[in-house]
Amino acid sequence: KVVCVTGASGFIASRLVKLLLQRGYTVKATVRDPNDPKTEFLRALDGAKERLQLFKANLLEDGSFDSAIDGCVGVFHTASPVILSVNDPQAELIDPAVKGTLNVLKSCTKFHSVKRVAVTSSIATLLYNGTPISSDVVVDETWFSNPDICKESKNWYALSKTLAEEAAWRFSKENEIDLVTIHPGFVLGPPLQPNLNFSVEVILNLINGVQVFPSPYRFVDVRDVANAHIQAFEAPTANGRYVLVGRVTQRYEVLKLLREDYPTLQLKESRFEFEEEPQPQPSYQISKERAQSLGINFTPWEISLRDTIESLKEKGFLKF
Ligand code: NDP
């Protein structure tokens, strides 16, 4: 069983690689630079010596993924830039997301070995369709973000993911690729990679009082996200889109857990005085039905958050 994972040194992808190796797969993993020391942790994973091969590939280079995809039964395309502030949205976000996805899918059509492709999309491709936010509204996989709304609000990341998903479905229908798309919310959990990825950095910034990312947070654990990718690849009846959110959480709930469980963690309290009077931000509910049909039992957000904090401490990003 040989599969390909793109962007393997990323937060989600490296969890996926670890789980695939644990489950006996041989993994052809792409990274931008196999000689970069930040890919070393991948080679140290259990089973990597025997069953992990690293390939150099870039989203913007045509045919770049061919040798990694050749001979694979499954392809997990997770590589895509995750950045919120950009100078040139087209070059920094939209091109790598859209052209990169098409680049990977084109490679898939060259090799008859490929049976199914799972693309890591985002909840951002569902949420922005103009429906007023209310706790009575349930978001499910029938929701699609409107690119014009993403553009108007300058939500370039959401635009990049929305256009990439649209392109993926169009190309897959035209070329008869069996495609599934995975749509995580805010992904938490212990990073395997040495550097910080965007979502984990949001938590660190909240603790350090550097930046307050607006809640509600639609949390899902990185281990559940990895598992969902594999289930969506393996389950014969899996199809279409899968949204992954374990729990919609307010910022005051996060701060309360941090204060109670980590009394020695120095929260920059003054920044958060307004949190003393909890004001729940309006939020949608997010459907769990299709995720549960894949057998996903969501990890409680408290466990994900605690494991994230412990890992940040272990890696030296937090001292307490
Ligand atoms: P990371 O930043 O950890 O991973 C992104 C990966 O994409 C990295 O491996 C990066 O490579 C790679 N990449 C970026 N640009 C290019 C390029 N031009 N060519 C090749 N590779 C490239 O983020 P996450 O693990 O969090 O995200 C992975 C996927 O999950 C993305 O598709 C993201 O949109 C999606 N997602 C993430 C969520 C989250 O909360 N974290 C929520 C919902 C969806 P390099 O290491 O070389 O920079």
Side-chain angles (χ1 to χ4, degrees):
K1 289 186 297 182
V2 185
V3 293
C4 171
V5 176
T6 70
S9 51
F11 173 52
I12 293 175
S14 53
R15 270 289 159 193
L16 179 56
V17 170
K18 183 181 161 91
L19 197 56
L20 284 164
L21 290 171
Q22 262 173 17
R23 295 197 187 165
Y25 284 91
T26 292
V27 183
K28 298 176 87 176
T30 77
V31 292
R32 275 196 267 195
D33 177 8
N35 296 320
D36 188 332
K38 81 174 184 191
T39 63
E40 266 163 32
F41 77 101
L42 290 170
R43 295 191 184 83
L45 293 172
D46 280 350
K49 240 190 211 132
E50 302 80 20
R51 287 178 285 109
L52 178 71
Q53 265 180 289
L54 293 191
F55 291 77
K56 183 183 170 80
N58 192 300
L59 293 171
L60 295 169
E61 279 168 33
D62 279 344
S64 196
F65 292 87
D66 283 1
S67 44
I69 289 175
D70 186 4
C72 290
V73 285
V75 173
F76 299 93
H77 174 45
T78 79
S80 204
V82 187
I83 24 176
L84 258 56
S85 61
V86 286
N87 296 318
D88 183 346
Q90 188 69 38
E92 292 173 64
L93 278 169
I94 297 165
D95 284 349
V98 180
K99 290 184 183 166
T101 299
L102 289 175
N103 196 10
V104 169
L105 291 175
K106 267 181 213 150
S107 294
C108 294
T109 61
K110 295 181 192 167
F111 306 103
H112 295 299
S113 57
V114 178
K115 300 288 175 247
R116 184 174 286 168
V117 180
V119 168
T120 316
S121 186
S122 166
I123 197 169
T125 74
L126 280 71
L127 291 177
Y128 307 108
N129 63 10
T131 306
I133 295 176
S134 145
S135 55
D136 303 330
V137 175
V138 182
V139 175
D140 66 18
E141 287 84 353
T142 63
W143 282 48
F144 287 87
S145 290
N146 177 340
D148 293 332
I149 292 179
C150 298
K151 256 182 241 168
E152 277 157 30
S153 55
K154 295 194 168 38
N155 191 341
W156 307 119
Y157 172 71
L159 181 63
S160 75
K161 298 299 284 181
T162 300
L163 296 178
E165 193 203 353
E166 276 181 15
W169 283 113
R170 202 179 316 116
F171 186 89
S172 297
K173 279 185 186 131
E174 285 165 7
N175 292 277
E176 293 182 4
I177 293 175
D178 181 354
L179 175 73
V180 288
T181 55
I182 311 293
H183 301 259
F186 183 129
V187 186
L188 266 186
L192 295 172
Q193 83 282 5
N195 55 308
L196 284 174
N197 63 291
F198 179 81
S199 52
V200 170
E201 195 165 21
V202 165
I203 299 299
L204 188 64
N205 286 344
L206 182 67
I207 292 167
N208 290 334
V210 173
Q211 186 199 23
V212 179
F213 198 71
S215 65
Y217 304 129
R218 301 176 185 93
F219 284 146
V220 58
D221 193 283
V222 67
R223 295 158 289 199
D224 297 340
V225 176
N227 186 23
H229 278 75
I230 302 179
Q231 294 300 111
F233 164 66
E234 287 181 347
T237 55
N239 63 83
R241 310 167 90 207
Y242 292 93
V243 65
L244 301 177
V245 173
R247 167 68 138 72
V248 181
T249 306
Q250 299 289 336
R251 189 165 57 233
Y252 68 80
E253 294 178 273
V254 172
L255 292 170
K256 185 167 177 284
L257 182 147
L258 293 174
R259 285 196 189 107
E260 287 176 2
D261 289 18
Y262 303 98
T264 58
L265 182 66
Q266 292 201 332
L267 284 177
K268 302 285 177 282
E269 295 282 341
S270 57
R271 288 289 303 266
F272 303 119
E273 269 160 20
F274 59 94
E275 300 291 351
E276 296 302 334
E277 293 286 338
Q279 284 292 326
Q281 297 301 309
S283 60
Y284 297 125
Q285 295 176 53
I286 314 289
S287 170
K288 289 193 175 123
E289 233 168 86
R290 280 182 52 83
Q292 283 167 340
S293 77
L294 289 177
I296 304 303
N297 291 315
F298 287 102
T299 304
W301 72 273
E302 296 92 335
I303 292 181
S304 309
L305 184 60
R306 285 190 202 107
D307 289 353
T308 310
I309 302 298
E310 298 295 344
S311 168
L312 287 172
K313 184 180 180 188
E314 227 167 81
K315 289 178 188 287
F317 290 107
L318 279 177
K319 291 194 173 46
F320 61 94

